[in-house]
Amino acid sequence: MVENIPSLDEMILSATELFRNTYKDEPNIIVQAPGRVNLIGEHTDYNDGFVLPMALPLRTVIVGKPICGLEASMVSIASEAEDGKTLHTFNISKEALKPGSPKWANYVKGVLANYKGGPFPAFQAAIVNSVPIGGGLSSSASLEVATYMFLDAISKEKIKVSKVEKALACQKAEHDFAGMPCGIMDQFISLLAEENNALLIDCRDMTYSSVPFDDPSMVILITNSNVKHSLSGSEYPTRRRQCKEAATLLGKNSLRECTLDDVKNLSALGASEDHVKRARHGVSEIIRTEQAARLFAERKYEEVGKLMVESHNSLRDDYDVSCPELNRLVELAMEVEGVMGARMTGGGFGGCTVTMVKSSTVDKVIENIRKNYPLKPTFYICTPSQGASLIKAFV
Ligand code: GLA
């Protein structure tokens, strides 16, 4: 069975209901921001490389209302996620905005602290989310970006800020308030995605181009392994540091400027075996991603699929961020005819795989995984969705 993805209208209804029940009032602002799946280009964003994500029909919806009155400084947020309903209230003065508990509220607080659009009033809000938490599909970025969109709707001065700058502000929120030194991919795609298109993002200069993906004969299947290994948080900064150190040893700013021949010289320059492996993944993945985007546009899905599998193997063997569950899901997907490619997606150590498969055979893939994967996986069939949007504002 495939997960039923709630429609945007259903999510707006639940969020509005939650708002009414919590505050006995009606919201007058509605915003949404999607999660993402990365087709290829993993652990390349912080190496100034390319990524090729698409937005998902899984998203965060925020409804709310500004609180009038000059002295109002308390924000209340009701949230309904996988882990139940909570109401969190905090002060929005700059001095009071600090990371704390609950953890999910840190993403909101971080965005409030890093908002670039000018002063905004206190507010009441309700949040609902359909992106699985901790599944590697960017539930946190979708919350950050939805928060940014909400502040845009209530801000007083409406200072013009580009979407890329907004993405950077949300990334900083995650660095400062969640302690996660993430790259720019997740926030970028959540803000800039277009329906029926993946996005090739050049994380060095923040330019991007749409890569059409609207072929009805092909679908993207996301399989959530439903495991999350404890290494997921701690290993990320280590990988990031190792890549930077390898580039520095080669006299370069980032792995984007290095070639595979450079990587071969690393050992002679005194690099550890781990550094060589990390650099080999980073450099080869950047090359694969640019190639994949070109092949995608030409609808050469079999060739894209091969690159996806190479990407997975490189993440497994050189980058050491996969795990037995993800490897098994990729193997099981690849056993089925009609599958172009499959790989782990996101930071790794659990979370999801992404499979590109002919629409006519996607059921067989699901069946093969269900029969042979020892845990209980969750499936989503997705097409590229639109980026964050303001749905309604009557302030
Ligand atoms: C996490 C980070 C992203 C990116 C991926 C790996 O999702 O938030 O910036 O680095 O891992 O590609």
Side-chain angles (χ1 to χ4, degrees):
M1 212 203 58
V2 178
E3 283 305 292
N4 179 26
I5 298 179
S7 70
L8 183 54
D9 285 348
E10 286 168 331
M11 291 186 71
I12 292 172
L13 267 182
S14 344
T16 305
E17 193 82 357
L18 179 62
F19 189 93
R20 276 190 200 127
N21 291 340
T22 313
Y23 308 108
K24 314 290 173 235
D25 198 358
E26 289 296 312
N28 55 16
I29 286 157
I30 305 172
V31 297
Q32 68 84 29
R36 63 97 189 95
V37 67
N38 190 17
L39 299 172
I40 193 163
E42 216 65 81
H43 290 279
T44 47
D45 56 355
Y46 53 80
N47 287 313
D48 282 353
F50 293 101
V51 290
L52 186 63
M54 65 179 223
L56 296 174
L58 299 164
R59 50 174 77 88
T60 298
V61 167
I62 305 184
V63 304
K65 193 172 189 176
I67 301 174
C68 302
L70 280 175
E71 66 294 344
S73 61
M74 295 306 279
V75 159
S76 296
I77 302 177
S79 118
E80 192 173 60
E82 280 167 355
D83 48 356
K85 285 186 193 174
T86 54
L87 177 65
H88 185 58
T89 301
F90 56 91
N91 193 305
I92 53 167
S93 66
K94 280 267 180 226
E95 310 74 57
L97 275 177
K98 302 247 155 38
S101 166
K103 277 194 178 153
W104 64 263
N106 290 334
Y107 300 109
V108 176
K109 291 178 186 168
V111 174
L112 266 56
N114 285 288
Y115 183 66
K116 301 277 175 257
F120 54 86
F123 59 88
Q124 291 176 323
I127 300 182
V128 297
N129 163 49
S130 56
V131 192
I133 309 282
L137 301 178
S138 288
S139 54
S140 45
S142 81
L143 175 55
E144 290 151 12
V145 171
T147 304
Y148 203 105
M149 299 301 290
F150 185 83
L151 295 184
D152 269 352
I154 62 169
S155 81
K156 295 172 185 157
E157 286 177 18
K158 311 263 181 243
I159 297 172
K160 191 125 185 61
V161 175
S162 73
K163 287 186 179 179
V164 172
E165 284 173 284
K166 292 178 190 183
L168 287 165
C170 291
Q171 179 196 27
K172 186 156 186 308
E174 186 145 346
H175 287 192
D176 296 353
F177 278 68
M180 162 68 173
C182 61
I184 192 64
M185 166 169 66
D186 307 346
Q187 294 80 6
F188 201 112
I189 185 69
S190 186
L191 273 152
L192 286 119
E194 290 166 22
E195 206 169 356
N196 297 325
N197 286 280
L199 203 64
L200 179 70
I201 307 169
D202 182 339
C203 302
R204 180 163 60 183
D205 60 9
M206 306 287 164
T207 53
Y208 56 96
S209 53
S210 307
V211 179
F213 185 42
D214 54 358
D215 186 333
S217 69
M218 220 39 83
V219 287
I220 295 298
L221 172 70
I222 296 171
T223 309
N224 192 344
S225 66
N226 287 318
V227 296
K228 193 80 210 152
H229 293 289
S230 55
L231 286 175
S232 57
S234 59
E235 291 292 300
Y236 188 95
T238 309
R239 296 295 181 284
R240 200 177 165 149
R241 180 178 44 76
Q242 288 169 327
C243 289
K244 182 76 188 160
E245 284 166 356
T248 306
L249 255 182
L250 291 166
K252 305 281 164 71
N253 278 325
S254 69
L255 291 183
R256 172 69 178 276
E257 292 167 24
C258 305
T259 63
L260 285 170
D261 280 337
D262 289 335
V263 175
K264 287 186 189 140
N265 291 332
L266 268 171
S267 302
L269 293 168
S272 73
E273 201 193 323
D274 272 357
H275 281 79
V276 177
K277 285 166 67 185
R278 308 309 183 230
R280 192 163 54 215
H281 168 75
V283 173
S284 63
E285 183 78 354
I286 292 170
I287 297 171
R288 275 189 291 274
T289 307
E290 214 186 354
Q291 281 172 350
R294 220 172 315 122
L295 293 165
F296 226 105
E298 293 166 14
R299 301 189 176 214
K300 293 188 173 153
Y301 300 123
E302 278 187 26
E303 288 173 57
V304 176
K306 281 187 196 138
L307 293 172
M308 288 172 77
V309 174
E310 279 177 29
S311 163
H312 180 78
N313 294 345
S314 172
L315 288 157
R316 182 193 60 199
D317 302 334
D318 275 347
Y319 220 60
D320 284 325
V321 292
S322 190
C323 61
E325 294 86 352
L326 292 172
N327 298 339
R328 185 72 185 129
L329 286 175
V330 168
E331 272 166 29
L332 290 169
M334 293 310 299
E335 280 172 12
V336 181
E337 211 181 304
V339 171
M340 306 290 120
R343 54 183 288 278
M344 57 152 277
T345 184
F349 301 105
C352 295
T353 59
V354 56
T355 302
M356 189 167 40
V357 52
K358 285 192 180 149
S359 326
S360 52
T361 44
V362 65
D363 289 346
K364 289 198 183 123
V365 182
I366 293 174
E367 199 187 311
N368 196 41
I369 293 176
R370 276 217 186 288
K371 254 204 251 147
N372 297 298
Y373 181 68
L375 304 170
K376 212 169 174 286
T378 322
F379 300 96
Y380 302 94
I381 296 176
C382 296
T383 48
S385 303
Q386 69 163 124
S389 56
L390 169 66
I391 297 165
K392 205 177 223 176
F394 34 94
V395 187

